[in-house]
Amino acid sequence: MSGDSLRRPVCTAATVRYHWPGDDKAGDHRCSAAPAARGGRRDGVPRRGSGTATRRRRPGDTFQARGPPPPGGRARRALRDHRRPRLAARSGGRPAGAEGLVAIQGVPLKFGDQVYGVLFAANRRVRPFSPDEVDLLISLANHAALAIENATLFEEVRKTAAVHERLTAVALDGGGPTGLASELADVLRGSVLVLDAQDRPLASAGDAPPEPAGLVREMAQARARRGSATRGTVCVTPIVAADEHLGTLLLVRGGLDASDIHALERAAQSAALMLLGERTVAEAERRLRGEILEDLLGAPHRDPEGLRRRAALVGLDLECDHVVLVARGGDNTRRRRITELAGGHATRLGGIAGEYGGNTVVVLPAADDPGGAARTFAELLTDGTGHPVTVGAEPAAPGAAAVVEAHRDAARCLDALVALDRVGEGACRDDLGIHGILLGAAGRDELDRFVRRTIGPLLAHDETRGSELVRTALTYFACDGNLSRTATALYVHVNTLYQRIDRISALLGPLWRHGDHALQVHLALTMRRTAG
């Protein structure tokens, strides 16, 4: 056998026609020497190739056929029981009688437990085949089976090596999931879909990528047993590293065989390394951005030149205008998720993100509408976490000191949104109306003095006696001075409300509900709630 014949599996087939004189029923049997996939069934039926193996009691049996057949309908039973009917081969579409073949000897093409087909020897006269002739035919069949086995192994190694070589080049070039899908579809000559750990599409390639919605059971099976699952022309292979599920590869290919599955499993290993590398780089970059943000907000004057250079490494120019966003949305677990989403958002827009002061802080290039940027960011985080996330924003002038001041004002804006029961919204100081004006025009100490000067007696009374006069007065203004609605909102009897109103009048004076005095009391109550 030449070297070229070992480069790819060779499929040979012959059709044998079983015919007995005087029997009007004849049977055709197609026998093939096509190679089957390694690891296939061990019953003599190849998993790959167009043919089927000869029927026999055990893989490895030989049989002879010669002489007169049993009469009538016993022909097919004789064939099944491997008795000795007279057989004739069909050659070139002509009956075997035209060739004069009346005796035939068959031996299996067998390597180990794998049977690839049958090798036949035929004669034009009735004669038995001697043991030496059978041994010779078996020897020839063994050589042919070995050649097919080598060709099959060579094809599997060639395909696997091609996948490994192409995907290694993709990884070195930074092609990511898109390059992986494209190269894999080209090598395997099919359509490929790459999913992430949450079964969301990352990339696809080919004419008709598979639909994950129709492969839920196969995807669950592949993930559970950490191996490939197939259905028809589709193969589902999990991307796994250690005990972590990183994603899934889906392949659609006509004539899917074991070598394709093996190549896809090798591709899943390369994809796992690629995804782990991308995640490691992303985590390192987020950590670097977080450290720069912490130094920027915590100690901007320690090394301003070094801080500027480090910020430039991640694409942040401190000499330009920026907008600072501060987000808050729940406990520590949720905050980590918020920070992950914020990091991806900041990277796409050329900014930095991280945790600072118990909140998630993002510094982005200047936006025309800081309030709009805050609302967009709040919607993104709320959708990504499934819980309301509140965002405060403030524009920042060039320079590290301006970013620090903008962060302080954005955090105050966030506190004001929470105090005003606007959780889940995004806004800047200009969106807060009078509250935004007061936050920007006065310092915290000055606001505290105003609150103490206006409603200090109410605060002292609540602190010493555990009463709720401040809440009562704030609810009274919220209900537009309607005593019945106020009592309902406070869940108290109206007589109890009258007693509280009288106590507030005794502490603040009878004019606290009228004119300019009412405006100042209401403003002081609101500012106290806003400032926390």
Side-chain angles (χ1 to χ4, degrees), residues 81-164:
D81 294 339
H82 299 241
R83 295 175 184 174
R84 296 184 178 180
R86 178 178 299 169
L87 298 118
R90 179 186 300 172
S91 176
R94 295 180 297 169
E99 298 293 331
L101 300 179
V102 295
I104 190 168
Q105 170 74 44
V107 297
L109 296 173
K110 180 181 176 184
F111 184 85
D113 292 332
Q114 179 70 38
V115 178
Y116 289 104
V118 181
L119 178 64
F120 292 106
N123 204 297
R124 289 185 172 84
R125 61 184 178 85
V126 177
R127 51 155 291 192
F129 289 87
S130 68
D132 289 340
E133 291 173 327
V134 173
D135 290 341
L136 176 60
L137 197 60
I138 292 175
S139 178
L140 293 175
N142 289 339
H143 282 289
L146 178 60
I148 295 175
E149 174 75 7
N150 288 338
T152 303
L153 291 176
F154 185 86
E155 174 66 12
E156 292 185 1
V157 171
R158 184 201 64 78
K159 188 176 292 185
T160 302
V163 169
H164 179 74

Side-chain angles (χ1 to χ4, degrees), residues 17-27 68-79 85-86:
R17 182 172 181 83
Y18 302 87
H19 177 73
W20 293 265
D23 189 353
D24 58 350
K25 296 181 181 180
R74 297 177 59 192
R76 280 178 296 282
R77 185 167 65 254
L79 172 62
R86 178 178 299 169

Side-chain angles (χ1 to χ4, degrees), residues 238-252:
I239 303 174
V240 181
D243 294 329
E244 184 178 3
H245 178 78
L246 300 176
T248 308
L249 290 179
L250 284 77
L251 169 68
V252 175

